[in-house]
Amino acid sequence: KKLDEYLNLTKLDKTKLGFELSEAAFSNDPESAQAFLLLVKKHGCFISIDNFGKGLRSFQYFKKFDDIYIKIDGE
């Protein structure tokens, strides 16, 4: 909730503001992670998913979200 309030008040260009979320965050708590993604996308921020490809259900979590940058795990 505080992040939403801050993003509403800031005069920063939010299209240049990005947030990185680990793929493990989706696996461990997908509902909270999706709520976070919706919040930052509502403000025009971009999102990057770190360590993409480590989990078996990687694509399942991201079908609902377009314009997400991913960092692919090379292992």
Side-chain angles (χ1 to χ4, degrees):
K1 184 174 179 176
K2 288 187 180 208
L3 178 60
D4 189 41
E5 292 171 6
Y6 176 76
L7 290 172
N8 280 326
L9 294 174
T10 187
K11 294 181 183 191
L12 294 173
D13 180 0
K14 292 173 232 144
T15 62
K16 299 193 184 301
L17 181 63
F19 292 87
E20 183 172 292
L21 190 62
S22 72
E23 185 179 2
F26 270 96
S27 299
N28 295 336
D29 191 356
E31 289 179 10
S32 292
Q34 287 183 353
F36 174 76
L37 289 179
L38 290 172
L39 170 71
V40 297
K41 285 188 71 130
K42 173 182 93 170
H43 289 282
C45 305
F46 69 89
I47 300 159
S48 175
I49 305 299
D50 191 23
N51 293 326
F52 185 80
K54 280 192 169 188
L56 295 175
R57 299 188 290 170
S58 301
F59 289 105
Q60 179 182 1
Y61 294 119
F62 308 118
K63 286 181 182 178
K64 297 178 184 176
F65 301 99
D66 53 350
D67 301 330
I68 293 180
Y69 297 93
I70 58 173
K71 293 170 62 180
I72 299 173
D73 183 5
E75 291 182 28

